[in-house]
Amino acid sequence: MSESEKIKQLLDEQVKHLRNKREEVLSRVQSELDDIDRALRQLGHVAQSSHSLGAGKRKRRDKVEDEQIIAALRSFMKPGESYTAAEILKNADLKGPRFATFKAKQRDFMKTHGAKRSMKYSLNT
């Protein structure tokens, strides 16, 4: 085996070792962050932004109860102000289908203004 092949093999082994170590650290940190987020949700607080440490890994989200959505909406929506669906989804950390289900079940919670894509929502006080 030539000198350059030995060097390449050592570099490949080092890269493999570092990638494995990185995955272990990501797994540990992601697990801790998930625990913290779960505790925050149980206290009725919705995390502001989702962390993307485990890029490429899809994780099933915990079921979000209507009461949690109501608390999240009340935390940033002010009476008399209207918000687009995109703003609501971002601030409440919701997916579109879950928001649609919530709207259908909680018809008296929000007022709608406008039609279809230009629709805005406000609290029904």
Side-chain angles (χ1 to χ4, degrees):
M1 187 182 287
S2 71
E3 192 68 30
S4 64
E5 288 174 330
K6 287 180 184 177
I7 292 172
K8 183 176 179 344
Q9 184 180 6
L10 285 172
L11 286 174
D12 288 344
E13 288 175 11
Q14 187 65 25
V15 167
K16 184 179 177 184
H17 170 74
L18 289 173
R19 284 187 174 162
N20 287 339
K21 186 163 179 89
R22 182 178 192 280
E23 286 301 315
E24 290 173 20
V25 170
L26 274 176
S27 177
R28 263 196 324 268
V29 170
Q30 186 66 50
S31 174
E32 288 183 42
L33 287 172
D34 290 343
D35 291 344
I36 291 168
D37 287 346
R38 193 173 305 109
L40 284 170
R41 280 193 301 275
Q42 287 176 346
L43 294 172
H45 179 35
V46 177
Q48 288 294 330
S49 64
S50 11
H51 39 273
S52 57
L53 287 175
K57 290 184 182 177
R58 292 194 110 163
K59 182 182 167 203
R60 186 174 177 154
R61 303 177 98 197
D62 291 339
K63 181 168 175 15
V64 181
E65 300 295 331
D66 285 357
E67 294 76 27
Q68 292 171 302
I69 295 173
I70 289 171
L73 295 176
R74 284 195 172 132
S75 73
F76 73 89
M77 291 179 80
K78 295 176 180 51
E81 290 187 22
S82 56
Y83 301 84
T84 65
E87 292 171 320
I88 291 171
L89 295 177
K90 180 181 176 206
N91 289 317
D93 190 28
L94 286 174
K95 297 289 182 191
R98 180 62 182 102
F99 182 56
T101 303
F102 171 79
K103 289 187 304 186
K105 287 170 58 181
Q106 304 286 336
R107 291 184 187 272
D108 296 335
F109 183 71
M110 291 188 299
K111 288 188 262 185
T112 58
H113 314 278
K116 300 217 177 183
R117 295 183 66 73
S118 64
M119 187 176 291
K120 290 199 168 207
Y121 302 90
S122 62
L123 291 176
N124 198 4
T125 53

